[in-house]
Amino acid sequence: MIRVRFAPSPTGFLHVGGARTALFNWLFARHHKGTFVLRIEDTDEVRSTHESVDAILGSMAWLGLDWDEGPILEGSGVGSDGSGWKSKGNYGPYFQMQRLEHYKKYLRQLEDAGRAYRCYCTPEEVEMMRVQAQLEKRPPKYDGRCRELTEKERRDKEGAGRKWTLRFKMPQEEKTVIHDLIRGEVHFENILQQDLIIQKTSGVPTYNFACVVDDHQMEISHVIRAEEHLSNTPAQVCMYAALGWTPPQFAHLSMILGADGTKLSKRHGATSVLEYKNQGYLPQAMRNYLALLGWATETSQDIFEVQELFDKFDLDRCQKNPATFDFAKLDWMNGMYIRKLSQADLVEASKPFLPKDAAQQTPNLSELVVLEQEKYRVLSDVPKMLDFFFTEEFVYHWDDLNGLMVKSPHLKTHEALERLIEFTESKFFKLEPFVETQIEAALREIAKDLGWKTAEVFHPLRFAVSGRLQGPSLFHMAAALGKGRVVLRLARLKKSIKESAAK
Ligand code: GLU
């Protein structure tokens, strides 16, 4: 039975790297008809927050990564008081801080068996060891000074009120070999490994221990996680052995780098999943893009429907080499997904990015939003490209117009432009119904009457109604705006020309 888990620490937002880990676990579970577990690793009592749990669950829900077991998300913000979490699944609770009893039992077991020992070193003493190692140019390592204390020495230290942590006694000889499903065999010399702290002075276990107990108790078959945890794996594998358990299989995913070859960070762009949501990326595009960070099929296929990902995803095609986060490719992919949306879905997806009163101001909103569907890369492009639909206060980009007038044989002067506008106003007044085909015919007639090229008529009028030279087709745009708004805009431009001439 395949059981995998995503086990975030709620100490911040869901990062792109975390989302990729969640996604790969989800795809693996779906491909093998297994179970996807969400477990919250909140044993960092200082940095874990309920807001972060909300953000992580919210990000996963946005990406459509549904989990079969774990905390339940009931509407947004549920549980933010910390007490109201419910969970589904038979292996709960799924918050580590609610599982302390389980860990205590096994911590005692290790201590009683002599596989863990109390360490009385203060944080300052441990820091000194680190500094010294640095000076001597060797990797930092706890020096083991509490490893072989006698019963009496322990009693004395505790009598003197010294606090203790519990450290796992790493074997000092031989190697630990990890058969990583992505990296192959990875060898670790045990002597180079730390005696990791597995219980803090507060009595709470650390990540490395809690994760072993949970993965065992939750019957996790495959641990698929970020590469940075590869170095924790030998100690974890030794803990499994010390507890008499069989470890799960491990798969450590590739690192995610920015274009400059350094680890993806804020310097490269957005790193939090919710930032992508807020910038107007579609969850299905984001999911597709993340799937390609460290995984590929044998073809150069980029666009995958979700069912296709379920069918095709497996660990054997995951790469160990770092993946590069390519923002331009994500934008391209998002544009592809935007183009696939139905009119109703595009309007729905765009709503959070449009002015609040957009729907009231423009009853034909859905007609407008699709006009530029081919061009959007992110949903926040919608209001940028269509601002003139939602306000009469849009800006005229005069430089564009001046550039146009220089090139046009008949439109050299402001008087010529005024004349064109007046001509159009009087034609439009009479135009009934004010629809695309009629508008086009009327404008062609104007060009003919004036003896101008159609482009000399269309471009300045596009400028008049939208403030710019690029945009949706003029006839569509004018019809969508309606006669009243178009005529007002013609008048506004005429007034502006007069004012600028008077200056
Ligand atoms: N809580 C760890 C993290 O957020 C998870 C490590 C693991 O998957 O074992 O990085």
Side-chain angles (χ1 to χ4, degrees):
M1 207 20 211
I2 299 280
R3 288 179 56 83
V4 291
R5 79 326 188 250
F6 176 53
S9 301
T11 54
F13 296 114
L14 184 63
H15 191 272
V16 167
R20 194 269 312 254
T21 303
L23 173 68
F24 279 27
N25 275 285
W26 182 69
L27 293 176
F28 186 71
R30 296 292 172 261
H31 177 80
H32 291 282
K33 312 240 173 325
T35 304
F36 177 47
V37 179
L38 174 62
R39 180 173 78 222
I40 305 295
E41 302 205 320
D42 54 353
T43 56
D44 184 333
E45 302 129 291
V46 180
R47 298 198 305 137
S48 301
T49 65
H50 298 296
E51 291 72 26
S52 169
V53 175
D54 281 350
I56 293 170
L57 268 59
S59 302
M60 288 182 60
W62 178 68
L63 284 170
L65 310 182
D66 54 330
W67 50 99
D68 308 306
E69 291 178 23
I72 294 177
L73 180 76
E74 284 172 338
S76 63
V78 148
S80 45
D81 67 353
S83 59
W85 293 103
K86 294 195 198 108
S87 53
K88 59 173 172 175
N90 297 328
Y91 295 77
Y94 294 91
F95 281 78
Q96 290 189 324
M97 287 305 272
Q98 294 173 21
R99 304 177 58 80
L100 295 179
E101 284 314 309
H102 298 275
Y103 311 130
K104 273 201 185 113
K105 177 172 153 204
Y106 295 113
L107 286 163
R108 292 295 75 79
Q109 186 177 317
L110 285 182
E111 194 182 0
D112 292 346
R115 297 304 313 270
Y117 60 91
R118 293 185 185 193
C119 169
Y120 301 90
C121 295
T122 60
E124 294 73 31
E125 285 167 326
V126 175
E127 176 60 11
M128 283 298 290
M129 288 174 215
R130 198 189 59 78
V131 172
Q132 194 169 353
Q134 212 173 26
L135 287 173
E136 293 168 13
K137 296 198 178 359
R138 44 181 183 81
K141 191 182 164 192
Y142 175 67
D143 66 8
R145 67 179 70 163
C146 295
R147 201 174 155 116
E148 306 297 344
L149 294 181
T150 63
E151 226 9 78
K152 176 163 181 328
E153 284 169 319
R154 285 202 188 102
R155 269 202 311 276
D156 289 349
K157 285 188 190 286
E158 277 168 43
R162 290 288 287 250
K163 292 207 170 88
W164 53 270
T165 57
L166 201 64
R167 283 188 187 267
F168 179 68
K169 218 180 227 182
M170 262 311 271
Q172 296 287 284
E173 54 293 311
E174 300 185 350
K175 281 182 191 172
T176 300
V177 181
I178 314 293
H179 301 274
D180 190 281
L181 294 171
I182 297 175
R183 283 150 211 280
E185 271 191 11
V186 192
H187 295 240
F188 294 88
E189 292 289 345
N190 289 339
I191 188 77
L192 296 176
Q193 305 302 312
Q194 294 267 13
D195 281 351
L196 289 179
I197 295 180
I198 52 178
Q199 184 181 20
K200 299 180 262 184
T201 52
S202 62
V204 173
T206 56
Y207 150 70
N208 271 296
F209 185 73
C211 146
V212 166
V213 173
D214 288 346
D215 285 340
H216 172 73
Q217 292 197 324
M218 295 181 179
E219 299 185 43
I220 298 301
S221 60
H222 294 72
V223 166
I224 304 169
R225 61 185 173 190
E227 190 203 35
E228 69 204 44
H229 291 293
L230 183 60
S231 59
N232 290 323
T233 312
Q236 292 179 0
V237 165
C238 290
M239 289 181 214
Y240 279 98
L243 290 160
W245 299 338
T246 309
Q249 293 199 266
F250 292 97
H252 288 90
L253 304 175
S254 61
M255 289 237 288
I256 304 177
L257 308 179
D260 60 357
T262 62
K263 200 170 170 215
L264 187 71
S265 73
K266 276 246 157 282
R267 283 183 301 114
H268 299 107
T271 52
S272 132
V273 169
L274 290 179
E275 261 179 86
Y276 284 92
K277 177 182 178 195
N278 296 337
Q279 287 179 13
Y281 290 87
L282 290 170
Q284 55 273 41
M286 197 68 200
R287 203 168 51 198
N288 188 155
Y289 183 71
L290 290 175
L292 300 176
L293 287 179
W295 172 80
T297 56
E298 55 284 7
T299 67
S300 53
Q301 183 177 352
D302 282 315
I303 303 287
F304 292 89
E305 292 298 331
V306 78
Q307 187 56 49
E308 234 185 327
L309 286 175
F310 291 166
D311 294 343
K312 295 189 172 162
F313 183 88
D314 214 345
L315 291 174
D316 58 359
R317 295 211 55 92
C318 286
Q319 301 130 11
K320 63 179 170 196
N321 296 332
T324 303
F325 196 98
D326 180 344
F327 290 88
K329 183 161 177 184
L330 170 62
D331 281 2
W332 165 81
M333 196 173 274
N334 203 55
M336 296 283 287
Y337 275 91
I338 290 180
R339 288 197 276 290
K340 283 185 186 203
L341 294 178
S342 68
Q343 177 164 344
D345 288 345
L346 176 62
V347 173
E348 209 38 51
S350 310
K351 272 194 183 143
F353 299 90
L354 295 173
K356 289 215 167 26
D357 57 351
Q360 289 103 296
Q361 270 209 30
T362 42
N364 52 348
L365 184 66
S366 51
E367 244 176 79
L368 307 183
V369 167
V370 291
L371 288 181
E372 295 284 71
Q373 184 162 8
E374 293 298 311
K375 295 194 196 138
Y376 307 133
R377 287 167 315 120
V378 281
L379 294 166
S380 48
D381 284 343
V382 179
K384 278 192 214 147
M385 292 191 182
L386 300 181
D387 59 344
F388 52 88
F389 278 126
F390 307 118
T391 173
E392 293 304 316
E393 306 302 312
F394 61 86
V395 212
Y396 282 119
H397 299 273
W398 290 105
D399 288 348
D400 288 2
L401 182 69
N402 293 337
L404 181 77
M405 288 172 71
V406 171
K407 280 188 255 150
S408 158
H410 297 103
L411 206 65
K412 290 265 178 274
T413 61
H414 281 162
E415 287 71 33
L417 182 60
E418 258 185 85
R419 193 151 151 254
L420 168 65
I421 296 174
E422 271 160 16
F423 239 82
T424 313
E425 274 175 327
S426 62
K427 264 254 169 356
F428 277 2
F429 259 127
K430 285 176 274 168
L431 201 62
E432 231 20 279
F434 195 74
V435 293
E436 241 176 276
T437 43
Q438 300 273 22
I439 295 169
E440 178 172 358
L443 294 180
R444 288 190 188 282
E445 220 175 271
I446 292 174
K448 208 159 137 228
D449 291 351
L450 286 170
W452 294 9
K453 285 200 217 117
T454 49
E456 288 176 295
V457 169
F458 296 170
H459 289 317
L461 290 176
R462 168 192 299 286
F463 180 81
V465 298
S466 69
R468 59 181 89 191
L469 295 180
Q470 252 109 43
S473 118
L474 172 64
F475 322 125
H476 272 91
M477 191 160 66
L481 278 164
K483 192 198 283 194
R485 291 179 89 187
V486 168
V487 169
L488 277 175
R489 288 173 185 205
L490 292 173
R492 178 183 161 199
L493 181 62
K494 205 163 66 176
K495 195 163 156 253
S496 308
I497 295 168
K498 281 220 165 68
E499 280 166 5
S500 69
K503 270 186 208 157

